[in-house]
Amino acid sequence: MQSFEWVDAKSVEQAAALLSASNTRQLVIAKAGGLDILDLMKEGILAPARVVNLKSIPQLDDIQFDTKSGLRLGTLATLARISSSEEVRRNYPALADAAAHAATPQVRNVASIGGNLLQRPRCWYFRNAQLHSSLPSATALRDAQMQYHAIFDNTHSAMVHASTPATALVAYDATVHLTDQRGRSRSIKLDEFLLAPDAQRAHDAAIQPGEVLTHVTLPPPAPDARSAYYKQTERDSYDWPICDVAIALQMNDRTVRAASIVMGWVAPTPRRARKSEQLLVGKNLDESVAREAAQAAVADATPLPKNAYKVPVLETVVRRTLLAAIA
Ligand SMILES: Cc1cc2nc3c(=O)[nH]c(=O)nc-3n(C[C@H](O)[C@H](O)[C@H](O)COP(=O)(O)OP(=O)(O)OC[C@H]3O[C@@H](n4cnc5c(N)ncnc54)[C@H](O)[C@@H]3O)c2cc1C
């Protein structure tokens, strides 16, 4: 690993100013928990000249809830704190479950929500230093080991977004807030912020050089809101998912008024099952409607030769998560 300069940032603006000086010869990167950047540095994929530590900036880890304005997660709030927050668990149970089921206790104690959303793909070709710089197209990789890759939107890139909390955050219609070195702030919906991997970009997200992600907000839950999250893994101990699903419903008794169904680890970004959402509106959600909605969720899947098994797994997980939401 090449040596690098370490800077403890004192403010968001200072961190943003330091990050804006980054260029291809002198790479400057932000560090939150440092888990993903350390992995990438050890793998020889990332070699920064300067690391800007965000953990020295006060109050970036606050978690606040208000019935009128909703939830505010400071970028440095860890997955462990999000999963154990009483207010998150009561008002956004799918997010609490997604945070609780990510990784291991040690990782959750360190991983920040901002860093989690900005982590790079877990694709083993992307993470291989020999293949990384000349990453072949998804088409060229069709015969490769793609069993954990995307079953939707996989023509340009078949890598899936690694963040599992993102699945729940998109279901709750989360917004990401960013600040630049002049203190100017902007906000963007998380489902527009997350982007498919592209060799030309350093992040799989619409973050500009010199911007710091400061916090994530969620609207307040509707009085009749129901939600659920499920992560399907190969083994019962900690594991990356085959797929995960988060569902947020607004109900009138047992009738669905509005639905948000988000499927993770099956496309380059968390994917809304829009046809299923439309199909549910105005219906009484029971076993047979859940089955119909789950079939619609996978109807336009385009699996690769080695990952067609993900289609029935995903269909089952959508059906079970729908039923869990109204249980
Ligand atoms: C064994 C293991 C299992 C795992 N399982 C899961 C899982 O099931 N689900 C899951 O979602 N993840 C999982 N992970 C990944 C882990 O959750 C992420 O590596 C972690 O969340 C990254 O957060 P961090 O704070 O350490 O980010 P960092 O490594 O500090 O940063 C990640 C990226 O974000 C940038 N960044 C961070 N904060 C900011 C900011 N505020 N503004 C601008 N840029 C910023 C950094 O520059 C870097 O590019 C697993 C990891 C391990 C090691």
Side-chain angles (χ1 to χ4, degrees):
M1 198 190 293
Q2 98 177 14
S3 58
F4 53 85
E5 185 192 351
W6 175 279
V7 185
D8 282 326
K10 299 285 178 289
S11 67
V12 167
E13 290 74 17
Q14 188 205 0
L18 290 162
L19 292 170
S20 67
S22 184
N23 59 54
T24 43
R25 276 178 297 140
Q26 291 280 304
L27 184 65
V28 184
I29 57 164
K31 185 207 73 77
L35 288 164
D36 198 42
I37 61 172
L38 187 61
D39 273 357
L40 293 167
M41 286 160 75
K42 286 194 295 193
E43 284 151 1
I45 291 165
L46 194 61
R50 181 182 273 180
V51 172
V52 180
N53 180 27
L54 303 178
K55 288 181 83 172
S56 45
I57 306 174
Q59 282 159 1
L60 278 187
D61 64 348
D62 285 354
I63 299 178
Q64 293 164 9
F65 175 73
D66 181 277
T67 47
K68 289 209 177 71
S69 53
L71 184 67
R72 186 187 196 279
L73 301 170
T75 188
L76 293 180
T78 61
L79 302 188
R81 284 188 52 234
I82 293 169
S83 68
S84 63
S85 155
E86 266 305 309
E87 282 170 327
V88 176
R89 190 147 287 287
R90 192 175 326 117
N91 297 292
Y92 307 92
L95 174 61
D97 281 350
H101 288 99
T104 63
Q106 292 91 336
V107 171
R108 293 194 292 273
N109 281 335
V110 175
S112 70
I113 192 65
N116 181 274
L117 294 174
L118 288 165
Q119 64 178 303
R120 302 305 313 272
R122 282 281 149 182
C123 166
W124 41 41
Y125 296 105
F126 174 88
R127 297 231 167 209
N128 183 318
Q130 260 92 55
L131 294 171
H132 180 81
S133 55
S134 58
L135 204 63
S137 71
T139 320
L141 283 174
R142 283 187 84 86
D143 293 330
Q145 299 303 315
M146 303 289 265
Q147 47 270 57
Y148 301 113
H149 287 67
I151 55 171
F152 296 99
D153 311 326
N154 48 11
T155 324
H156 174 64
S157 166
M159 291 186 239
V160 293
H161 199 281
S163 168
T164 49
T167 309
L169 287 170
V170 172
Y172 286 124
D173 196 23
T175 299
V176 165
H177 304 265
L178 304 124
T179 296
D180 71 11
Q181 74 267 32
R182 293 195 192 144
R184 289 178 304 206
S185 298
R186 71 179 176 104
S187 306
I188 177 169
K189 290 281 181 194
L190 179 60
D191 65 347
E192 292 166 27
F193 180 65
L194 300 177
L195 301 174
D198 182 321
Q200 307 307 315
R201 274 196 301 265
H203 290 290
D204 313 305
I207 184 167
Q208 302 302 322
E211 280 187 320
V212 174
L213 195 166
T214 52
H215 58 289
V216 179
T217 53
L218 277 68
D224 49 0
R226 304 286 194 89
S227 54
Y229 171 82
Y230 192 80
K231 174 180 168 185
Q232 181 64 53
T233 51
E234 254 176 350
R235 37 178 202 181
D236 281 342
S237 68
Y238 83 88
D239 202 357
W240 295 96
I242 292 169
C243 63
D244 67 344
V245 171
I247 293 177
L249 303 172
Q250 288 178 37
M251 306 292 290
N252 277 338
D253 198 10
R254 281 193 84 83
T255 307
V256 179
R257 202 152 40 87
S260 175
I261 303 177
V262 183
M263 307 179 292
W265 273 73
V266 291
T269 56
R271 189 175 209 266
R272 292 280 292 270
R274 296 207 184 261
K275 281 186 194 149
S276 315
E277 293 172 1
Q278 285 159 12
L279 184 150
L280 285 173
V281 174
K283 297 242 172 78
N284 258 20
L285 182 50
D286 59 13
E287 175 84 42
S288 108
V289 170
R291 191 173 295 279
E292 210 187 326
Q295 283 164 357
V298 297
D300 52 353
T302 53
L304 300 162
K306 292 193 177 73
N307 70 7
Y309 77 96
K310 284 180 102 172
V311 178
V313 173
L314 177 63
E315 183 180 331
T316 305
V317 174
V318 171
R319 178 170 51 80
R320 289 183 181 167
T321 313
L322 270 170
L323 294 172
I326 54 152

